[in-house]
Amino acid sequence: MANRFGHNHLHAHGGFLKEDLLNESIDLSQLSEDERWRIEHQRLHARHRGHETMHAWMVLILITAVVVAQLILVEWKKRHYRSYQRVSLLGMWIIPVLVSLRNHWWRFIIIWAIFTILTCIVVSRGLQKPISGRTPRLVYKWFYLIYMISYGLGVLGYVVVMLTLLGVNLMFRAQPQTWLDCGLMCLFYGLYYGVLGRDIAEIITDKMAATVGYYTPTGIPVRQLEPNVCAVCGNKILVQNNSEAIVEKTYKLACEHIFHEFCIRGWCIVGKKQTCPYCKEKVDLKRMFCNPWEKPHVFYGNFLDFIRYLVAWQPLIIAGVQFINYMLGLE
């Protein structure tokens, strides 16, 4: 009687004996979230008891795969940058949408489809030959818009997450999980489309500039640059003196070549170029972005390069590790 009373007493106060934790017949739907998590956690430990050696091998395989993959990716990027760039872009574009289709994340799929359709239209304009004089600006404006939206979403998501960690959501009587979900969603969309847009822009920038003729990825340009022509868009520079500029200012690099300010900023920020499009002279980004409010764009661009590894390559590495574990009989 005493044992039965003690057993019932434990149940009444949300406590469970060890044998109760392992009883698969317990209806977890009738329990609170904390109790359900505790029971599932205990069952997981019970199922994997005695597998410590196997788990150690799985961790060792994971660490080895990550290190080896990182070395291969670094060498690949160093020796064959163009192929690395295109394969990374393909992975960035395809892998997330495949995962979303599998998990029925329709919001991401719809946004991805809209972005893809509009970007393909803009890219098709940039690949036309002969290229229109207004096309480079259209392309830069589109990808600069994507870049600024992604930058804004990234900052917004970060601020929301930090405010949630500081408990500001309690002032609005909001659940912390709601704020965290919103912040992380903004961070993901901002970082993902920021990387994707910059990678596409880098490729189309090369194509457009080569079509204009004042730039070649390697070698000597096929056209002689005149003093009053912008080598990025191929249009004439109407105003040389910025004090008289009304519509748009010009910018002179250290190599003395002059460009439309919007064009050279698009070339460096959107197209990720750090050399003069005509003579390949190194561009001093610190001098170009002397305004302290513009410097974060440079750091944000470098941060996006790290995100590419997490989105495009990390899932492939994890899939490879799972395949190795399956072949070795590790579960």
Side-chain angles (χ1 to χ4, degrees):
M1 179 69 68
N3 289 340
R4 181 178 301 174
F5 175 80
H7 185 75
N8 293 335
H9 181 72
L10 284 171
H11 277 283
H13 288 78
F16 290 91
L17 297 175
K18 185 174 182 180
E19 54 269 22
D20 293 325
L21 293 173
L22 304 180
N23 186 0
E24 298 290 342
S25 63
I26 294 179
D27 186 7
L28 300 182
S29 63
Q30 304 298 324
L31 304 178
S32 67
E33 184 176 352
D34 291 339
E35 292 173 337
R36 185 163 59 249
W37 181 87
R38 186 168 64 252
I39 292 176
E40 292 175 348
H41 188 69
Q42 188 66 28
R43 288 176 178 177
L44 180 65
H45 277 282
R47 284 195 296 268
H48 290 273
R49 188 177 293 114
H51 297 170
E52 288 79 7
T53 302
M54 182 177 66
H55 293 165
W57 275 106
M58 294 174 68
V59 172
L60 181 61
I61 291 173
L62 175 62
I63 295 175
T64 303
V66 170
V67 172
V68 172
Q70 186 64 31
L71 293 175
I72 293 175
L73 291 174
V74 169
E75 288 298 318
W76 184 11
K77 183 177 180 181
K78 185 188 301 182
R79 299 174 184 273
H80 305 283
Y81 178 74
R82 290 187 175 277
S83 62
Y84 169 84
Q85 179 191 43
R86 283 159 174 74
V87 174
S88 297
L89 175 59
L90 183 63
M92 283 287 301
W93 209 326
I94 300 301
I95 292 177
V97 76
L98 293 179
V99 174
S100 299
L101 286 171
R102 179 180 179 183
N103 293 280
H104 307 292
W105 295 336
W106 302 116
R107 177 174 54 203
F108 175 83
I109 295 172
I110 293 173
I111 296 176
W112 179 90
I114 295 173
F115 170 83
T116 299
I117 293 172
L118 295 178
T119 300
C120 287
I121 295 174
V122 174
V123 168
S124 64
R125 293 282 300 273
L127 295 177
Q128 289 179 351
K129 294 182 180 180
I131 189 170
S132 170
R134 293 180 295 179
T135 297
R137 285 174 172 265
L138 170 66
V139 174
Y140 283 135
K141 285 178 181 178
W142 169 249
F143 285 109
Y144 188 66
L145 175 64
I146 296 298
Y147 174 81
M148 293 304 297
I149 291 176
S150 70
Y151 182 77
L153 284 174
V155 173
L156 176 63
Y158 176 78
V159 170
V160 170
V161 170
M162 293 305 298
L163 291 178
T164 306
L165 295 179
L166 294 174
V168 178
N169 60 292
L170 299 177
M171 298 174 58
F172 299 91
R173 297 182 180 180
Q175 293 294 328
Q177 190 62 42
T178 303
W179 277 44
L180 279 176
D181 289 344
C182 180
L184 292 175
M185 182 183 67
C186 290
L187 269 175
F188 170 77
Y189 279 104
L191 296 176
Y192 174 72
Y193 287 105
V195 176
L196 194 59
R198 279 169 61 84
D199 284 357
I200 300 172
E202 184 179 8
I203 295 176
I204 193 61
T205 295
D206 270 351
K207 299 290 186 181
M208 285 192 310
T211 302
V212 171
Y214 297 114
Y215 165 83
T216 54
T218 57
I220 302 174
V222 297
R223 295 177 63 181
Q224 181 69 29
L225 182 63
E226 300 176 5
N228 62 337
V229 173
C230 174
V232 176
C233 65
N235 293 326
K236 289 186 177 181
I237 298 175
L238 301 178
V239 178
Q240 296 283 347
N241 189 353
N242 281 335
S243 62
E244 302 175 0
I246 299 176
V247 178
E248 183 176 14
K249 295 182 178 180
T250 59
Y251 190 90
K252 181 186 290 187
L253 298 180
C255 57
E256 300 298 321
H257 291 125
I258 301 176
F259 305 88
H260 295 118
E261 186 177 34
F262 181 84
C263 291
I264 195 62
R265 286 176 179 269
W267 175 266
C268 294
I269 296 179
V270 180
K272 297 196 298 183
K273 309 297 183 184
Q274 298 186 23
T275 59
C276 172
Y278 184 69
C279 67
K280 309 296 190 299
E281 180 77 17
K282 184 73 173 179
V283 174
D284 186 4
L285 294 180
K286 293 182 180 179
R287 176 172 170 264
M288 176 175 291
F289 303 106
C290 54
N291 189 332
W293 292 105
E294 293 180 330
K295 289 183 179 179
H297 290 291
V298 179
F299 298 118
Y300 180 68
N302 295 331
F303 177 67
L304 291 180
D305 293 335
F306 171 73
I307 300 299
R308 182 188 302 105
Y309 171 78
L310 296 180
V311 177
W313 297 111
Q314 196 67 20
L316 296 179
I317 295 173
I318 298 300
V321 170
Q322 292 179 342
F323 177 75
I324 294 174
N325 291 335
Y326 174 77
M327 295 301 294
L328 297 177
L330 304 176
E331 297 181 0

